Amino acid sequence: MTATRRGLSIWAVTTAAYLVLGAIGQALGLDRHRYPTSPAASWPFRLFARGDAGHFLEVARHGYFGPHHDPVQMAFFPGYPLAGRGLAHLFSVGPPSVTTYLVALSLVSWLGTATAAILLWRLTADQVGEPAASVAVVVLLAGPYSIFLVSSYSEGPFLAAALGAWVAAKADRWAIASACAAMAAFTRISGLFLACGLVVLFVHSRATQRKSWQATHVAALSAPFLAVVGYFTWLHHNTGDWLAWFHAERLGWGRHAVTPVRAFTHSVRRILTYHDPDDWQLAALRFQGTMEILFAAAFIAACVALLRRREWAEATYVGFTAASLLTSAYYLSLPRNMLTCFPVAMLSAQWILRHRERKVRYTIAAGSVAIAMFNVSSILSDHWSG
């Protein structure tokens, strides 16, 4: 009950804060009114339905190969838009409207984030203590890029499934853990990295607790991998291309594997090309590019810290996530992907509690709020680039 009360309280406050920021942004004329025909009552649910949310909306409405087919949409895993589609049909008598889909997708995102807040509080409280648990949830939900846990994006539902898998695994309930991990893998490719972390957690628990292995455990741990294989197989069935997902990533964002050095140099070069301070779009691109590099350093620091603490499973999950991002053609969406790495939020909470100086805490809080406000303004004015 404590986890539910604390987690939901923090979620409610942070979500309300983002809605207030959105209302202020609209009052300042930042919002371009993407969905002007939607009823006014749907405003909270469509406020942050921008950017990639449009792809999720199209997949929920028409599938991957509907009348408005865009090959880029194959890069988005089906778990989140399918959940939104199911909820929209549950709400509707007859075919759902665009507004119904927007509301449904937003509710799935919010429900996922609220569930993640509860599970993160519980996981952190069990491992570190209640004070750290509350701080970890605040770090997650009020962080500089936590806007994506309020938007119609897949981070919230993924986090709920990933944390559900981790909490169940810590309790040695591997059937539940595998089911949650499969849902996570059906929602984002990051589910593969989560699955690798769970395998390490399982092996380590068996080695330290001298428990026996069973065939059912091995079968259960394969579930998230099979979820990804199933989606890739379905794409091949419809396109004839086993690498359809990778080609969609390259087509949409130019993503492909390179060396870490090349990824870093390309990222720095991109920042240096955005040189017009009077162009708001270029200024936003330069700012986000700089943040990508800072978060790349944060990813590396987190991996080192987890390894030093011998948290092997957590280091595996965060490390594989970091490796995939730091070997892409250039740094993109590192801050958003760090949201899904809940061990980083737990690490951050412990670090904040160790530094009891108010100046340190106030500086971190002020910087986080400032970046969050900038991100809200960028998203509302359709200048988002991360």
Side-chain angles (χ1 to χ4, degrees), residues 107-369:
L107 287 176
V108 171
S109 176
W110 289 6
L111 179 61
T113 301
T115 303
I118 296 169
L119 292 173
L120 179 60
W121 198 98
R122 176 180 170 182
L123 180 65
T124 309
D126 290 343
Q127 294 189 196
V128 185
E130 292 190 3
S134 295
V135 175
V137 177
V138 171
V139 167
L140 176 67
L141 300 187
Y145 285 82
S146 56
I147 179 62
F148 293 103
L149 297 174
V150 182
S151 305
S152 297
Y153 277 61
S154 62
E155 278 80 358
F158 173 85
L159 259 177
L163 279 160
W166 213 267
V167 169
K170 287 286 186 178
D172 206 35
R173 303 176 68 177
W174 290 99
I176 297 176
S178 65
C180 291
M183 287 190 287
F186 201 56
T187 304
R188 293 175 67 89
I189 191 66
S190 307
L192 281 180
F193 313 138
L194 173 75
C196 292
L198 288 173
V199 170
V200 173
L201 183 59
F202 176 80
V203 173
H204 185 259
S205 68
R206 287 307 182 264
T208 56
Q209 300 173 20
R210 300 181 182 278
K211 292 184 177 180
S212 61
W213 293 48
Q214 298 178 13
T216 54
H217 290 143
V218 177
L221 288 169
S222 67
F225 298 100
L226 292 176
V228 175
V229 170
Y231 178 53
F232 281 14
T233 302
W234 182 82
L235 288 179
H236 171 262
H237 175 74
N238 285 275
T239 65
D241 182 7
W242 283 107
L243 302 178
W245 182 84
F246 296 95
H247 292 156
E249 284 280 319
R250 187 158 191 163
L251 177 64
W253 301 273
R255 280 177 161 169
H256 59 279
V258 298
T259 65
V261 172
R262 191 172 182 183
F264 175 76
T265 56
H266 281 186
S267 301
V268 172
R269 190 178 299 119
R270 281 169 60 87
I271 295 175
L272 297 178
T273 60
Y274 308 139
H275 54 77
D276 187 352
D278 296 324
D279 189 312
W280 172 252
Q281 178 67 50
L282 290 181
L285 286 169
R286 190 164 194 168
F287 174 80
Q288 296 301 341
T290 303
M291 294 304 297
E292 297 283 353
I293 293 177
L294 292 177
F295 271 80
F299 257 117
I300 295 172
C303 291
V304 171
L306 289 169
L307 289 172
R308 292 183 63 181
R309 294 161 62 95
R310 298 186 177 183
E311 296 182 14
W312 309 121
E314 290 82 354
T316 299
Y317 174 36
V318 177
F320 279 3
T321 302
S324 71
L325 296 167
L326 299 181
T327 56
S328 182
Y330 58 95
Y331 296 163
L332 181 66
S333 301
L334 270 76
R336 280 174 50 195
N337 279 276
M338 186 169 280
L339 283 174
T340 65
C341 292
F342 54 86
V344 177
M346 298 169 66
L347 269 179
S348 301
Q350 295 173 69
W351 184 87
I352 291 171
L353 289 178
R354 283 199 304 271
H355 290 74
R356 299 183 178 278
E357 298 179 7
R358 291 186 176 181
K359 289 184 179 179
V360 174
R361 295 183 179 182
Y362 290 160
T363 300
I364 293 173
S368 180
V369 170

